[in-house]
Amino acid sequence: MWWAQTHNKRQRDGRSAMARLIQKFGGTSLADIARIKTVAERVRREVEHGHQVAVVVSAMAGTTDRLVAWTRETSRLHDAREYDVVVSSGEQVTAGVLALALQDLGVDARSWLGWQIPISTDRVHGKARIEAIEVAELDRRLERGQVAVVAGFQGLGPDGRITTLGRGGSDTSAVALAAALKADRCDIFTDVDGVYTADPRIVTRARKLDKITYEEMLEMASQGAKVLQTRSVEMAMNHRVRVQVLSSFIDVPGTLVADEDEIVEQQIVSGIAYSRDEAKITVQKVPDRPGVAAAIFGPLAEHAINVDMIVQNVSEDGRADLTFTVARADLERAVSVLEAKREALGFSALKPDSNVVKISVIGVGMRSHAGVAQKMFQTLFEKGINIQVISTSEIKVSVLIAAEYTELALRALHTAYGLDAQE
Ligand code: ADP
Ligand code: ASP
Ligand code: MG
């Protein structure tokens, strides 16, 4: 395991009620000084219960967006190392301010930036992966009752420079720290009181889940439910970190991300996610012969462009239309890579379309129940919504539809699978 070399075994001195907690606060919970003071009160409560607490903070709401915009405004093809210097700065502010707010309440607290711990990552600036966390010093300080306030979203690359973990990355900082510090639980405080059957901002009848399996949460996150960063769920699943998603504004139990056998009443479909981050490309009239798919997807892979959904329509004249999706951010690049190969590939036209959304229904119950996909297709058909591409996995069915139908499709599917909250 990646932290094994650095982990310092914890002694609990028989204080059995004492727990070690990681508390992560998102941007809206830290949006201004008044809210940061409220967060400090919340942290103090746990300290007063005798718990050891490490806090992971995001930047104030809106800050990271503004920092990203500044880098783009300055330089379109910005250097990723300098991008990380700029966009990681929001968390430096909140870590320091929260440490001050805690000290003001009489709580012993100290802030930590990624490089000071260090949280070591790989060299992929802008979307780095955590490789190791040196926990010995944090461990000692937690043991003596000091609260560690850790700047989320940032680490230290092998080049000795600051890295960031991709948008939403402070969730991953928190789970990684929980794994490394062998915390009893990792609480992710956000602006909703848990994980819902669908994004509650769009589906007003969405229902809060008491528990969700790691696998389902991983699919939900990777299919667009941004309540947790996908990597944080992957890491929680691999290291069996108990993650709870809850509100920092209201004091109600949240959603526990847990093992399948902990969940008593399992629905067939437990959630619906959507992603506007996809774009579609249709390669028209490519010669329908062996090797063509490899010839198209090979160059995309060489340029590190991931292809997600794929469909091929065979036409009669020995040619086919190949449609697939890439991340919206990669659309321009994908088109230029393929245009450069137009002659070799022999297609007649390339049709890019970013006016699409991917809708996914997710549930471990699909393994043992048939008809989930059929219900999705029927429901969309009844609403007159055309399905452009389909893809499936063991516990998920995804369809690509025109973006203007997002809300309609989400709400109709939510009702069709019996997920609506009781009035
Ligand atoms: P934070 O700043 O606390 O990290 P995020 O904006 O990253 O907060 O994540 C919380 C948001 O995730 C919610 O406001 C909600 O709109 C969105 N979301 C999307 N899908 C879901 C879902 N299935 N359950 C709960 N929230 C969801
Ligand atoms: N502040 C970063 C972002 O907005 C990290 C996070 O909030 O998790 O993406
Ligand atoms: Mg987030």
Side-chain angles (χ1 to χ4, degrees):
M1 279 176 249
W2 47 266
W3 72 82
Q5 328 80 293
T6 52
H7 181 66
N8 184 14
K9 198 166 170 18
R10 183 154 51 102
Q11 303 293 319
R12 288 226 191 141
D13 315 83
R15 286 174 288 167
S16 59
M18 184 272 279
R20 179 174 279 189
L21 305 175
I22 307 296
Q23 297 190 305
K24 179 257 168 177
F25 293 90
T28 30
S29 318
L30 302 163
D32 52 38
I33 301 301
R35 287 195 182 168
I36 293 179
K37 287 187 173 174
T38 308
V39 164
E41 300 273 1
R42 174 132 217 165
V43 174
R44 178 173 66 172
R45 237 163 59 199
E46 302 302 345
V47 175
E48 282 174 349
H49 281 115
H51 301 317
Q52 296 181 2
V53 188
V55 184
V56 174
V57 291
S58 292
M60 289 180 177
T63 297
T64 312
D65 286 345
R66 195 170 59 243
L67 296 170
V68 170
W70 283 349
T71 63
R72 299 222 167 107
E73 220 179 289
T74 312
S75 154
R76 212 170 86 80
L77 294 173
H78 50 249
D79 179 319
R81 285 160 293 192
E82 302 308 339
Y83 167 92
D84 279 350
V85 172
V86 178
V87 304
S88 62
S89 63
E91 276 74 7
Q92 174 160 349
V93 174
T94 44
V97 174
L98 180 58
L100 286 175
L102 284 164
Q103 289 174 1
D104 230 45
L105 295 177
V107 177
D108 182 13
R110 186 58 66 207
S111 70
W112 295 86
L113 300 180
W115 64 268
Q116 290 172 308
I117 294 177
I119 295 176
S120 306
T121 71
D122 64 15
R123 59 182 67 250
V124 187
H125 283 276
K127 208 167 179 22
R129 270 180 185 277
I130 295 176
E131 289 186 335
I133 302 182
E134 176 62 56
V135 288
E137 182 62 21
L138 287 185
D139 203 57
R140 261 195 299 281
R141 291 177 183 235
L142 290 178
E143 286 294 341
R144 63 163 214 249
Q146 188 175 72
V147 172
V149 184
V150 178
F153 183 51
Q154 54 175 262
L156 177 68
D159 52 2
R161 305 202 62 93
I162 296 171
T163 52
T164 61
L165 310 178
R167 297 306 305 270
S170 48
D171 297 331
T172 303
S173 309
V175 174
L177 210 58
L181 285 166
K182 298 216 183 299
D184 297 282
R185 208 176 61 233
C186 181
D187 286 343
I188 307 279
F189 290 91
T190 182
D191 56 0
V192 280
D193 59 351
V195 178
Y196 278 69
T197 46
D199 187 343
R201 283 182 206 275
I202 296 197
V203 181
T204 44
R205 294 172 134 189
R207 206 156 30 83
K208 188 170 83 181
L209 299 163
D210 295 334
K211 290 184 177 178
I212 184 168
T213 65
Y214 289 113
E215 271 181 294
E216 286 167 322
M217 192 62 240
L218 186 60
E219 284 285 9
M220 289 280 279
S222 66
Q223 299 308 320
K226 290 183 177 154
V227 59
L228 288 176
Q229 197 197 33
T230 306
R231 270 184 197 163
S232 73
V233 187
E234 216 168 56
M235 195 171 283
M237 183 157 108
N238 291 341
H239 299 292
R240 287 300 186 264
V241 175
R242 288 176 79 74
V243 172
Q244 187 183 196
V245 177
L246 68 173
S247 167
S248 59
F249 300 104
I250 48 170
D251 210 359
V252 294
T255 301
L256 187 71
V257 188
D259 274 319
E260 210 168 318
D261 54 15
E262 280 191 54
I263 298 176
V264 192
E265 259 184 86
Q266 190 63 60
Q267 302 282 328
I268 299 172
V269 167
S270 49
I272 305 179
Y274 71 98
S275 167
R276 298 188 207 268
D277 294 338
E278 309 257 323
K280 179 181 79 165
I281 299 177
T282 301
V283 189
Q284 289 184 326
K285 294 198 186 309
V286 275
D288 190 16
R289 57 167 188 253
V292 165
I296 288 175
F297 297 127
L300 294 177
E302 278 163 28
H303 287 81
I305 297 171
N306 280 328
V307 171
D308 179 16
M309 312 170 86
I310 304 176
V311 67
Q312 182 174 346
N313 304 315
V314 182
S315 56
E316 280 161 17
D317 54 358
R319 287 173 173 265
D321 288 349
L322 197 66
T323 300
F324 55 90
T325 63
V326 295
R328 193 169 291 196
D330 289 337
L331 181 63
E332 259 181 70
R333 243 162 20 98
V335 168
S336 68
V337 166
L338 294 177
E339 280 294 359
K341 303 249 169 201
R342 180 188 277 261
E343 236 169 82
L345 293 170
F347 59 82
S348 69
L350 268 188
K351 298 270 181 223
D353 178 4
S354 53
N355 185 39
V356 289
V357 65
K358 181 171 64 167
I359 310 266
S360 307
V361 300
I362 292 140
V364 290
M366 277 182 215
R367 290 199 190 108
S368 47
H369 288 81
V372 173
Q374 174 52 26
K375 182 173 274 188
M376 187 177 201
F377 306 152
Q378 182 66 30
T379 306
L380 295 175
F381 164 69
E382 282 165 12
K383 294 288 175 194
I385 300 171
N386 184 42
I387 298 173
Q388 304 179 7
V389 192
I390 300 169
S391 72
T392 63
S393 79
E394 209 187 5
I395 65 162
K396 157 212 108 188
V397 186
S398 304
V399 295
L400 196 74
I401 62 172
E404 55 264 35
Y405 297 119
T406 310
E407 284 84 3
L408 178 63
L410 283 172
R411 293 183 188 136
L413 291 168
H414 201 265
T415 305
Y417 288 107
L419 296 173
D420 288 353
Q422 307 299 330
E423 293 286 297

